[in-house]
Amino acid sequence: MGEFELIRRYFASAACAAGAEGVALGIGDDCALLAPAPGEQLAVSTDTLVAGVHFPEVCDPFLLGQRALAVSASDLAAMGATPLAFTLALTLPTADAAWLEGFARGLNRMAHNCGLALVGGDTTRGPLSMTVTVFGRVPAGQALTRAGAQVGDLLCVGGVVGEAGGALELVLGRQQVAAEIAEPLLARYWSPQPQLAFGQALRGKATAALDVSDGLLADCGHISRASGVALVIESERLPASAALETLLGAERALQQKLGAGDDYVLAFTLPPRHLAELQAQWPQMAVVGRAEAGEGVRVLDARGQDITPRQGGYLHFME
Ligand code: ADP
Ligand code: MG
């Protein structure tokens, strides 16, 4: 199968390439044309996943297709952007029809979930890797950056953190556990659900936001530095995960909640006046701490003792 046949069969004819509002021209020309409405800004983010580095060499292509798009779409959620379109640069060692069919199906599923149209890409031969670039739209000046946290704001998360990190042991086949524990954790890793509607609901309310990709502690460090405030995490307020706590025990579960990446849950700062309204609509969110004058991120236990781990999140090599 030649390059053009491959593009046509698996990508250009895919449901997610059918075009959408805000896409003036899709796959097939030298460039796609995006047409956000007047008064909107374009939010753009790109992520590369490399086999053996960001996912196991041997894995289900359907899950990989889902995950490749989800991790980028999560960046749109973190900015409060509305999904518009994406491009896919795919490097493949061989044109394996079964693999491509599974990958395209996973990609389509997540594109449909997120409301993202495939508008272009590139297809090359080489070691397996994929780069997804996502485009979103946001009313000018309303994007949620990392830089607006204020002293007195609440520190919040959009849901459970740490489960994808717990799943990594299972993904790498290092640990065997009962299906009822493994399944919710593996689902978190392979099919992260970008918090797109929630991110948009945070516009005009949250003062700073990001998606947790390097671990809550490290990512709170990004908000702290960008905003010029200190952040305090009260560890006992981090949402519970029965599966994670059963797999690892309370102490290692807490380490995962603070240090593990890959969950793609939003973390944000919120003036207290917005809490009741937001929580009524999004009951899975949780207040986990606060912004104070100063710098850095501290973790406190139930008695208020400082238990900040010395090492932050997982620092990726060249990422
Ligand atoms: P060019 O030579 O202009 O870069 P290509 O031959 O690489 O064009 O691609 C032809 C068309 O197919 C372009 O519109 C490109 O965006 C699209 N395309 C190529 N690879 C992919 C892919 N993996 N997914 C989606 N679209 C793709
Ligand atoms: Mg090209």
Side-chain angles (χ1 to χ4, degrees), residues 40-285:
E40 288 182 336
Q41 289 173 318
L42 208 49
V44 182
S45 176
T46 210
D47 278 290
T48 297
L49 301 183
V50 178
V53 179
H54 303 102
F55 60 90
E57 301 268 0
V58 177
C59 68
D60 181 340
F62 174 83
L63 296 176
L64 187 58
Q66 282 198 151
R67 184 169 159 71
L69 188 55
V71 301
S72 287
S74 180
D75 286 317
L76 295 178
M79 294 301 279
T82 304
L84 182 56
F86 72 105
T87 62
L88 169 70
L90 190 58
T91 303
L92 297 170
T94 55
D96 178 330
W99 190 93
L100 278 158
E101 190 274 325
F103 180 79
R105 231 171 2 96
L107 196 74
N108 257 303
R109 164 75 70 84
M110 190 56 71
H112 179 76
N113 287 353
C114 295
L116 282 164
L118 179 60
V119 296
D122 199 19
T123 306
T124 51
R125 191 180 290 271
L128 180 62
S129 80
M130 57 215 61
T131 297
V132 171
T133 302
V134 286
F135 302 84
R137 48 198 182 80
V138 66
Q142 285 189 35
L144 304 170
T145 71
R146 301 174 174 192
Q150 302 284 325
V151 173
D153 284 350
L154 303 169
L155 175 64
C156 306
V157 292
V160 177
V161 290
E163 287 190 333
L168 206 55
E169 295 286 299
L170 307 172
V171 171
L172 298 173
R174 289 192 192 136
Q175 211 166 333
Q176 301 285 316
V177 289
E180 68 263 29
I181 297 172
E183 272 162 15
L185 298 177
L186 288 170
R188 279 300 211 111
Y189 180 85
W190 283 115
S191 323
Q193 299 299 325
Q195 298 195 291
L196 287 157
F198 185 52
Q200 291 166 58
L202 293 178
R203 288 204 306 245
K205 296 190 173 73
T207 49
L210 47 63
D211 62 324
V212 177
S213 58
D214 293 334
L216 184 63
L217 195 56
D219 286 320
C220 282
H222 299 317
I223 293 181
S224 161
R225 271 186 298 280
S227 298
V229 298
L231 292 175
V232 177
I233 299 171
E234 296 165 55
S235 62
E236 86 283 2
R237 301 181 81 171
L238 292 167
S241 161
L244 188 64
E245 273 129 29
T246 308
L247 179 72
L248 299 177
E251 192 173 324
R252 283 180 62 217
L254 176 59
Q255 285 171 8
Q256 291 294 327
K257 290 178 190 182
L258 292 171
D262 291 335
D263 278 299
Y264 303 99
V265 163
L266 300 187
F268 55 99
T269 52
L270 187 76
R273 68 178 183 281
H274 294 307
L275 180 63
E277 187 195 341
L278 203 61
Q279 216 161 23
Q281 213 190 334
W282 305 92
Q284 74 278 32
M285 67 165 279

